[in-house]
Amino acid sequence: DAGVIQSPRHEVTEMGQEVTLRCKPISGHDYLFWYRQTMMRGLELLIYFNNNVPIDDSGMPEDRFSAKMPNASFSTLKIQPSEPRDSAVYFCASSGQFNQPQHFGDGTRLSIL
Amino acid sequence: DQQVKQNSPSLSVQEGRISILNCDYTNSMFDYFLWYKKYPAEGPTFLISISSIKDKNEDGRFTVFLNKSAKHLSLHIVPSQPGDSAVYFCAASGSDYKLSFGAGTTVTVRA
């Protein structure tokens, strides 16, 4: 079975550029989550969707961050404009019904120069 | 504000012995608890979970214990194997389904 697929695995870009991270959840999963991992703050939830609808975006750090889920098999997390402090590993996860374990992708390592 | 705390950043254990990882939480509304394992350059992998209506859940070599009154849970790995060397994260959620993660404990299993 294919797991959660994230692309790209690594992204290096200059400050001020737009960054788009992509995620394909496990087929049939109704919930999709975006997390960020940093040394200072650990793993923190940014936003999650249920049936393609954003449910809670209280973890999104600033208006520079936005996320969409146009259909059940695809989501994007966009940062515009990017800043060096956005450098982190971004994970996408999906799960089936309520309170089932979340399954994570292998992450995108983002470096903003 | 960290609602889930793993106070031991690292643990070293001999192969074949028991590994015990601890986790404390502060939010009394948490009712679902999970442990994840993470290798370098990979995403966290689900290991085992427990709901607040239980105090123990076992899956092969992995057992999770929950002490609600102390707001404490632990993960036991018996026997420890070299492949268990990884970072282990404790996580918890309430009715809002938002997972809060601890900072992780790095386990090293010595041959």
Side-chain angles (χ1 to χ4, degrees):
Chain A
D1 285 347
V4 175
I5 300 172
Q6 292 186 245
S7 64
R9 289 297 313 274
H10 302 274
E11 174 89 12
V12 181
T13 191
E14 291 189 350
M15 174 179 171
Q17 297 296 307
E18 178 179 290
V19 172
T20 300
L21 312 181
R22 296 172 175 79
C23 176
K24 178 179 169 54
I26 293 172
S27 178
H29 279 189
D30 294 332
Y31 290 85
L32 183 138
F33 306 81
W34 282 101
Y35 290 88
R36 178 171 69 175
Q37 184 183 31
T38 60
M39 289 294 292
M40 290 296 294
R41 299 175 66 87
L43 259 170
E44 51 180 347
L45 177 67
L46 300 177
I47 185 172
Y48 81 92
F49 295 81
N50 180 26
N51 291 323
N52 313 338
V53 176
I55 303 300
D56 190 320
D57 65 354
S58 60
M60 296 285 261
E62 299 172 35
D63 291 344
R64 298 184 296 106
F65 286 70
S66 62
K68 293 183 180 179
M69 192 165 185
N71 57 62
S73 59
F74 184 65
S75 177
T76 59
L77 178 68
K78 191 170 290 188
I79 308 172
Q80 166 64 18
S82 57
E83 296 183 4
R85 60 195 168 116
D86 302 330
S87 298
V89 181
Y90 291 81
F91 289 103
C92 176
S94 70
S95 70
Q97 296 174 16
F98 186 82
N99 260 2
Q100 285 188 347
Q102 296 176 24
H103 298 268
F104 284 74
D106 284 338
T108 295
R109 182 172 292 278
L110 178 64
S111 296
I112 309 296
L113 306 177
Chain B
D1 188 23
Q2 282 279 67
Q3 299 186 79
V4 178
K5 297 180 183 178
Q6 294 176 256
N7 292 320
S8 297
S10 62
L11 172 70
S12 181
V13 63
Q14 194 162 12
E15 183 179 1
R17 305 296 291 268
I18 184 170
S19 293
I20 299 176
L21 291 82
N22 294 303
C23 177
D24 297 295
Y25 61 96
T26 57
N27 189 339
S28 58
M29 301 303 291
F30 285 154
D31 58 8
Y32 183 55
F33 305 88
L34 310 89
W35 285 93
Y36 283 83
K37 174 180 177 180
K38 185 181 181 304
Y39 293 119
E42 294 184 10
T45 302
F46 169 71
L47 262 183
I48 192 168
S49 64
I50 188 168
S51 73
S52 58
I53 62 172
K54 292 186 168 185
D55 54 19
K56 177 183 174 182
N57 189 25
E58 192 170 353
D59 184 0
R61 297 185 298 114
F62 302 92
T63 303
V64 56
F65 296 92
L66 176 62
N67 182 335
K68 290 186 290 294
S69 61
K71 293 192 179 69
H72 177 85
L73 64 155
S74 62
L75 175 68
H76 292 206
I77 307 172
V78 185
S80 300
Q81 299 175 353
D84 296 332
S85 296
V87 180
Y88 290 78
F89 291 97
C90 171
S93 71
S95 59
D96 62 3
Y97 200 30
K98 292 164 60 172
L99 278 182
S100 294
F101 282 84
T105 297
T106 300
V107 172
T108 302
V109 180
R110 309 186 309 271

PDB file of all heavy atoms in Angstrom, chain A residues 14 34 45-46 56 58-59 83 109:
ATOM      1  N   GLU A  14      15.791  30.983  -1.984  1.00  0.00           N
ATOM      2  CA  GLU A  14      16.207  32.258  -1.396  1.00  0.00           C
ATOM      3  C   GLU A  14      15.031  32.968  -0.737  1.00  0.00           C
ATOM      4  O   GLU A  14      13.878  32.838  -1.159  1.00  0.00           O
ATOM      5  CB  GLU A  14      16.834  33.146  -2.468  1.00  0.00           C
ATOM      6  CG  GLU A  14      18.172  32.617  -2.949  1.00  0.00           C
ATOM      7  CD  GLU A  14      18.897  33.616  -3.848  1.00  0.00           C
ATOM      8  OE1 GLU A  14      18.274  34.618  -4.239  1.00  0.00           O
ATOM      9  OE2 GLU A  14      20.078  33.374  -4.144  1.00  0.00           O
ATOM     10  N   TRP A  34      -1.008  19.001   8.347  1.00  0.00           N
ATOM     11  CA  TRP A  34       0.316  19.554   8.045  1.00  0.00           C
ATOM     12  C   TRP A  34       1.004  19.912   9.366  1.00  0.00           C
ATOM     13  O   TRP A  34       0.424  20.598  10.209  1.00  0.00           O
ATOM     14  CB  TRP A  34       0.218  20.810   7.179  1.00  0.00           C
ATOM     15  CG  TRP A  34      -0.044  20.554   5.731  1.00  0.00           C
ATOM     16  CD1 TRP A  34      -1.231  20.651   5.068  1.00  0.00           C
ATOM     17  CD2 TRP A  34       0.929  20.183   4.749  1.00  0.00           C
ATOM     18  NE1 TRP A  34      -1.067  20.364   3.727  1.00  0.00           N
ATOM     19  CE2 TRP A  34       0.247  20.071   3.508  1.00  0.00           C
ATOM     20  CE3 TRP A  34       2.304  19.936   4.772  1.00  0.00           C
ATOM     21  CZ2 TRP A  34       0.900  19.714   2.325  1.00  0.00           C
ATOM     22  CZ3 TRP A  34       2.948  19.585   3.603  1.00  0.00           C
ATOM     23  CH2 TRP A  34       2.239  19.476   2.385  1.00  0.00           C
ATOM     24  N   LEU A  45       1.454  21.153  15.020  1.00  0.00           N
ATOM     25  CA  LEU A  45       0.397  21.084  14.013  1.00  0.00           C
ATOM     26  C   LEU A  45       0.136  22.479  13.450  1.00  0.00           C
ATOM     27  O   LEU A  45      -0.034  23.435  14.192  1.00  0.00           O
ATOM     28  CB  LEU A  45      -0.884  20.538  14.648  1.00  0.00           C
ATOM     29  CG  LEU A  45      -2.109  20.472  13.743  1.00  0.00           C
ATOM     30  CD1 LEU A  45      -1.908  19.444  12.633  1.00  0.00           C
ATOM     31  CD2 LEU A  45      -3.348  20.118  14.560  1.00  0.00           C
ATOM     32  N   LEU A  46       0.103  22.565  12.127  1.00  0.00           N
ATOM     33  CA  LEU A  46      -0.172  23.843  11.477  1.00  0.00           C
ATOM     34  C   LEU A  46      -1.652  23.972  11.122  1.00  0.00           C
ATOM     35  O   LEU A  46      -2.297  24.970  11.430  1.00  0.00           O
ATOM     36  CB  LEU A  46       0.669  23.975  10.210  1.00  0.00           C
ATOM     37  CG  LEU A  46       2.190  23.923  10.396  1.00  0.00           C
ATOM     38  CD1 LEU A  46       2.900  23.995   9.043  1.00  0.00           C
ATOM     39  CD2 LEU A  46       2.669  25.033  11.319  1.00  0.00           C
ATOM     40  N   ASP A  56      -9.178  23.428  11.267  1.00  0.00           N
ATOM     41  CA  ASP A  56      -8.480  24.219  12.279  1.00  0.00           C
ATOM     42  C   ASP A  56      -7.143  24.678  11.710  1.00  0.00           C
ATOM     43  O   ASP A  56      -6.296  23.858  11.391  1.00  0.00           O
ATOM     44  CB  ASP A  56      -8.254  23.372  13.538  1.00  0.00           C
ATOM     45  CG  ASP A  56      -7.752  24.183  14.722  1.00  0.00           C
ATOM     46  OD1 ASP A  56      -6.909  25.079  14.529  1.00  0.00           O
ATOM     47  OD2 ASP A  56      -8.202  23.910  15.850  1.00  0.00           O
ATOM     48  N   SER A  58      -5.375  27.168  13.360  1.00  0.00           N
ATOM     49  CA  SER A  58      -4.844  28.019  14.421  1.00  0.00           C
ATOM     50  C   SER A  58      -3.333  27.886  14.595  1.00  0.00           C
ATOM     51  O   SER A  58      -2.703  28.746  15.188  1.00  0.00           O
ATOM     52  CB  SER A  58      -5.546  27.717  15.749  1.00  0.00           C
ATOM     53  OG  SER A  58      -5.358  26.368  16.110  1.00  0.00           O
ATOM     54  N   GLY A  59      -2.752  26.839  14.062  1.00  0.00           N
ATOM     55  CA  GLY A  59      -1.308  26.662  14.156  1.00  0.00           C
ATOM     56  C   GLY A  59      -0.524  27.312  13.037  1.00  0.00           C
ATOM     57  O   GLY A  59       0.707  27.355  13.091  1.00  0.00           O
ATOM     58  N   GLU A  83      10.844  33.202   4.430  1.00  0.00           N
ATOM     59  CA  GLU A  83      11.850  33.844   5.266  1.00  0.00           C
ATOM     60  C   GLU A  83      12.762  32.777   5.849  1.00  0.00           C
ATOM     61  O   GLU A  83      12.344  31.611   5.994  1.00  0.00           O
ATOM     62  CB  GLU A  83      11.186  34.637   6.399  1.00  0.00           C
ATOM     63  CG  GLU A  83      10.329  35.798   5.916  1.00  0.00           C
ATOM     64  CD  GLU A  83       9.741  36.614   7.050  1.00  0.00           C
ATOM     65  OE1 GLU A  83      10.069  36.314   8.221  1.00  0.00           O
ATOM     66  OE2 GLU A  83       8.967  37.546   6.764  1.00  0.00           O
ATOM     67  N   ARG A 109      12.315  18.768   3.658  1.00  0.00           N
ATOM     68  CA  ARG A 109      13.299  19.582   4.386  1.00  0.00           C
ATOM     69  C   ARG A 109      13.460  20.880   3.628  1.00  0.00           C
ATOM     70  O   ARG A 109      13.969  20.892   2.508  1.00  0.00           O
ATOM     71  CB  ARG A 109      14.628  18.850   4.521  1.00  0.00           C
ATOM     72  CG  ARG A 109      15.670  19.651   5.309  1.00  0.00           C
ATOM     73  CD  ARG A 109      16.901  18.806   5.581  1.00  0.00           C
ATOM     74  NE  ARG A 109      16.635  17.716   6.499  1.00  0.00           N
ATOM     75  CZ  ARG A 109      16.613  17.813   7.811  1.00  0.00           C
ATOM     76  NH1 ARG A 109      16.855  18.984   8.385  1.00  0.00           N
ATOM     77  NH2 ARG A 109      16.376  16.765   8.568  1.00  0.00           N
TER      78      ARG A 109
END
